Amino acid sequence: EPDVTIVSGLKDRVVSEGDDVTFRCQVSHESARDVEWKLQDVALQNNEMNEISVEKGKIHTLTLRKVTEQDIGTVTFRVGPHTSTA
């Protein structure tokens, strides 16, 4: 199985309280398995507040819904041993 790397990393975002914000990270191969999103070192699950999806097989997206002041912090995307933060 080929080593999946990050082709295009996360970009910093500034948003207003109550808005949604989307982070995107592109990986080198489709069907990457060992993938994880974190906010302030807490693993995120796909739910009504966090939408985690994959577009075109390689673009992993995280949308945080109706952000609050508590959502300020570092977002981390990890695939295998590779990470990107914003």
Side-chain angles (χ1 to χ4, degrees):
E1 187 170 309
D3 185 30
V4 178
T5 60
I6 295 171
V7 175
S8 175
L10 299 177
K11 308 250 186 311
D12 290 341
R13 299 279 189 239
V14 176
V15 294
S16 299
E17 193 166 22
D19 287 349
D20 295 351
V21 61
T22 299
F23 296 91
R24 285 184 178 80
C25 202
Q26 184 175 348
V27 297
S28 59
H29 294 82
E30 292 185 18
S31 309
R33 282 196 206 81
D34 189 16
V35 171
E36 182 178 48
W37 286 97
K38 288 184 176 180
L39 175 61
Q40 303 166 24
D41 282 334
V42 176
L44 298 176
Q45 303 299 320
N46 198 15
N47 59 35
E48 66 278 351
M49 297 307 291
N50 314 314
E51 182 184 323
I52 297 170
S53 62
V54 181
E55 300 169 7
K56 299 182 186 131
K58 294 183 181 180
I59 301 170
H60 292 256
T61 63
L62 166 67
T63 300
L64 302 176
R65 304 257 179 237
K66 296 183 175 66
V67 295
T68 66
E69 211 172 277
Q70 285 75 40
D71 294 320
I72 292 172
T74 301
V75 171
T76 304
F77 173 82
R78 181 187 59 77
V79 58
H82 308 285
T83 60
S84 179
T85 58

